[in-house]
Amino acid sequence: MSTQTSGLAIETAGLVKTFGETRAVDGVDLAVPAGTVYGVLGPNGAGKTTTVKMLATLLRPDGGEAHVFGHDIVREADEVRGRVSLTGQYASVDEDLTGTENLVLLGRLLGHRKPAARTRAAQLLEAFGLTEAAGKQVKHYSGGMRRRIDIAASILSTPDLLFLDEPTTGLDPRSRNQVWDIVRAVVAQGTTVLLTTQYLDEADQLASRIAVIDRGKVIAEGTKGELKASVGAGSVHLRLRDPERREEAVRILRDLLTAEVQLEPDPVALTARLGVAASDTAADQAARALGELARAGITVDNFSLGQPSLDEVFLALTGHDTGQGTGPETKDEVAA
Ligand SMILES: Nc1ncnc2c1ncn2[C@@H]1O[C@H](COP(=O)(O)OP(=O)(O)OP(=O)(O)O)[C@@H](O)[C@H]1O
Ligand SMILES: [Mg+2]
């Protein structure tokens, strides 16, 4: 169905949304290939929900443009609406109805006849591990069950593009894994998924490409590998037996590796941030480094190799971590 010549499910150019003085989305360019999971990663208030709402035609942009499967989100909003579905930080199901009642009702609203709606509801409840809870009112569901029924509701008719806005925020690890499996299954059916998340491991697990957004702007975009490469191949942490030999060890490492070597506060410790060498893995580089230190008679007591996490990527790109409270406070800027 999604046979756009460009192969893009979403294409935006300079997308802007302002709320009073706040530029919630500040010139966002995205190109989301059809048939993949695309991750939009950013901390609280980065502009993720605002971006999704514009793309789902729930909010009108103040600037720039966006196309969903080639349709302009403003001028051709109806066509866009016909191809997308969303779930996440909004309620989509009725709390007072049971799981079955919700899905049957939504199926009927989509134009399915009652038996077909019932069959589809039962299939989805089963697939999402909700068969036992099918007859319970949704208000009695746990957070994980609630998230799963939300997603089930949004894929009643298989959408070409599914927006999942922080689908696992607040879920326990087991429920997160269940939601991840569902996302993988949805994509396997040909649906494109735009997933927003504050969790680096979630983007890492699910997405083929990731846009990192901070304060309304895309600050990095690429495959997971490309993003990781932008902060290097990882780091080697060493503890030497003899603090007197540390300067010499630093020289050796600097000469041998394309590494930035840092002295740690502990007088025997140092960290080498490995550069990206095409033919050389981080482990190879580390092994060579250890060999060279041994030849120089420098004893290494402790050694560890750290792979860069997406967390480190974020830190390297923004200068602050993904949590709340460390960066400059921007929350009070919201105009009435
Ligand atoms: N309706 C609104 N009125 C005023 N300001 C808003 C409105 N919606 C969002 N904002 C502001 O726009 C900015 C981006 O908000 P948005 O909800 O898009 O962020 P987010 O990335 O989804 O964050 P979170 O991870 O907390 O859901 C924030 O500063 C927020 O306070
Ligand atoms: Mg949000």
Side-chain angles (χ1 to χ4, degrees):
M1 259 169 96
S2 38
T3 44
Q4 241 26 72
T5 42
S6 64
L8 292 178
I10 300 172
E11 195 168 15
T12 79
L15 204 58
V16 171
K17 183 72 198 176
T18 55
F19 296 110
E21 297 290 293
T22 307
R23 291 179 78 80
V25 175
D26 195 6
V28 163
D29 299 336
L30 290 177
V32 176
T36 62
V37 179
Y38 191 92
V40 173
L41 177 68
N44 282 135
K48 302 181 296 295
T49 297
T50 307
T51 302
V52 165
K53 281 188 174 170
M54 285 191 282
L55 294 173
T57 75
L58 299 175
L59 261 184
R60 209 187 155 91
D62 294 314
E65 53 180 90
H67 291 85
V68 169
F69 295 114
H71 298 294
D72 186 288
I73 58 165
V74 178
R75 288 194 304 274
E76 300 171 286
D78 285 342
E79 284 88 340
V80 173
R81 253 173 245 138
R83 310 224 14 208
V84 308
S85 185
L86 99 166
T87 179
Q89 293 185 309
Y90 336 87
S92 62
V93 297
D94 187 329
E95 302 250 308
D96 289 321
L97 299 181
T98 66
T100 299
E101 286 165 350
N102 265 295
L103 296 188
V104 171
L105 176 67
L106 289 167
R108 297 284 281 154
L109 291 173
L110 286 167
H112 298 304
R113 306 174 63 133
K114 203 157 189 179
R118 282 226 172 94
T119 308
R120 180 76 179 140
Q123 275 172 355
L124 284 169
L125 288 163
E126 160 110 55
F128 286 29
L130 291 170
T131 303
E132 266 178 51
K136 271 207 256 177
Q137 284 179 304
V138 167
K139 65 181 167 204
H140 298 307
Y141 280 21
S142 70
M145 290 157 72
R146 176 59 201 256
R147 217 60 66 89
R148 280 180 275 147
I149 192 90
D150 274 339
I151 300 177
S154 65
I155 62 168
L156 260 175
S157 70
T158 314
D160 291 331
L161 171 60
L162 175 64
F163 295 103
L164 292 175
D165 192 12
E166 299 195 28
T168 66
T169 296
L171 297 188
D172 62 40
R174 187 165 158 268
S175 303
R176 288 180 77 198
N177 275 306
Q178 286 172 333
V179 170
W180 289 353
D181 285 342
I182 291 167
V183 175
R184 293 186 184 109
V186 167
V187 175
Q189 310 257 314
T191 294
T192 306
V193 174
L194 184 96
L195 168 103
T196 78
T197 183
Q198 299 188 35
Y199 300 125
L200 308 146
D201 61 326
E202 181 156 286
D204 204 2
Q205 283 281 333
L206 295 176
S208 347
R209 296 187 72 87
I210 298 167
V212 185
I213 70 167
D214 190 36
R215 292 163 210 179
K217 289 188 159 65
V218 176
I219 55 168
E221 202 277 339
T223 62
K224 285 176 284 194
E226 285 165 355
L227 283 179
K228 286 182 177 178
S230 67
V231 284
S235 29
V236 185
H237 309 280
L238 297 172
R239 286 173 58 83
L240 310 177
R241 175 145 321 154
D242 181 0
E244 302 282 306
R245 308 292 302 272
R246 188 162 78 158
E247 284 305 320
E248 196 185 340
V250 168
R251 259 198 316 279
I252 291 173
L253 293 176
R254 282 203 181 120
D255 288 348
L256 187 73
L257 309 169
T258 34
E260 227 178 86
V261 184
Q262 279 173 347
L263 302 181
E264 301 296 334
D266 178 342
V268 293
L270 53 89
T271 296
R273 291 200 132 207
L274 302 173
V276 206
S279 58
D280 227 8
T281 66
D284 290 339
Q285 293 187 58
R288 279 197 291 130
L290 286 175
E292 204 59 35
L293 292 171
R295 263 190 291 285
I298 299 175
T299 309
V300 175
D301 273 346
N302 199 302
F303 154 84
S304 69
L305 184 62
Q307 296 296 321
S309 65
L310 279 171
D311 238 329
E312 282 177 290
V313 174
F314 201 88
L315 189 62
L317 294 168
T318 64
H320 57 86
D321 67 23
T322 51
Q324 291 153 268
T326 34
E329 208 39 74
T330 52
K331 290 264 163 199
D332 326 271
E333 285 173 17
V334 181

